[in-house]
Structure formats: C-alpha cells, structure tokens
Amino acid sequence: MSHEKELEQELTEESCCEHEGSHRRSHHPDKVKSNLVTRLNRIEGQIRGIKGLIEKDTYCDDVINQIAATQSALNSVAKILLEGHMKSCVVERIQEGDMEVLDEVLVTIQKLMKK
C-alpha cells in the first residue's frame, strides 16, 4: 500500500469532528497530523523559494513552474483532508439527520475547484 493511501486510510479510520456549540474541531491521529504538518512545512519552503526566485529576477517560466508544483502540493493536502472529512464527519452528521452538511461540503468543493 502506498504511503499516501496508508495515510488516507488512517485519517478515515480515526478522524472525527466535534461540535461544541458554534465551535467545530477535527481530531486527527498524531501520525496524520504530523504528515500534514510536514507537507505544509515543505510547501512553506517552496513559497519562500518562489519569493527568492522573483527577487533574483529568475526567468518567468521557471517561476511559474515552481508555483504550479506548490499549488499541486497544496491541493494534495486539501484532498487528504477532504476525503477524511467526507468519510468521517460528513457521514456521521448525515447519520444523525443533519443534511445541511451536504451544502457545506458542496460549497467547500466549489471553492477548491475555483483554483
């Protein structure tokens, strides 16, 4: 099983969302949270690298390619979170009769697809 599939399986099996009044929180296993933070740290480094390329007047096409790679990495993080959210939080809320969660997820997907 690939590392990403293993991460997605763990995220799905152990993640849950809690509702505390108007506050919503998710709880991811430490291994999943660590993986996501590592990915985001790498993306943060890519952003700093892009800034440096611009400061050094790097050829535009090279900068654009780095931006595309960074967007792809960020989309990967979003995909992992969305899949875990749908397989745990959304399913739980639908089972509880809360159908409003579908509108919430559709709005989120629309935001992701604009990019």
Side-chain angles (χ1 to χ4, degrees):
M1 182 182 300
S2 75
H3 181 67
E4 191 157 307
K5 286 292 182 192
E6 186 178 305
L7 176 67
E8 289 171 3
Q9 183 177 358
E10 186 169 328
L11 183 62
T12 300
E13 290 173 355
E14 299 184 33
S15 294
C16 65
C17 297
E18 286 185 0
H19 296 273
E20 299 170 7
S22 62
H23 300 287
R24 298 181 297 182
R25 298 176 48 99
S26 66
H27 298 281
H28 304 296
D30 288 340
K31 182 177 178 182
V32 173
K33 190 182 295 189
S34 175
N35 181 287
L36 293 172
V37 168
T38 298
R39 287 170 182 256
L40 291 168
N41 286 337
R42 194 175 312 123
I43 292 165
E44 185 177 22
Q46 288 175 296
I47 297 292
R48 276 191 247 102
I50 292 167
K51 180 181 172 189
L53 292 175
I54 290 172
E55 290 171 343
K56 295 175 188 172
D57 295 320
T58 302
Y59 184 61
C60 295
D61 193 57
D62 294 339
V63 176
I64 292 167
N65 284 325
Q66 289 302 311
I67 290 170
T70 303
Q71 286 174 326
S72 178
L74 201 50
N75 286 339
S76 179
V77 170
K79 177 186 165 239
I80 291 167
L81 286 169
L82 181 61
E83 184 173 345
H85 180 59
M86 291 180 71
K87 289 181 176 179
S88 62
C89 307
V90 174
V91 168
E92 283 178 19
R93 287 178 60 186
I94 289 172
Q95 289 172 342
E96 294 169 358
D98 181 0
M99 299 305 283
E100 289 178 19
V101 70
L102 292 176
D103 291 329
E104 178 185 289
V105 170
L106 288 172
V107 168
T108 299
I109 291 170
Q110 287 172 348
K111 287 177 184 177
L112 284 172
M113 292 180 73
K114 283 184 182 179
K115 304 202 173 3

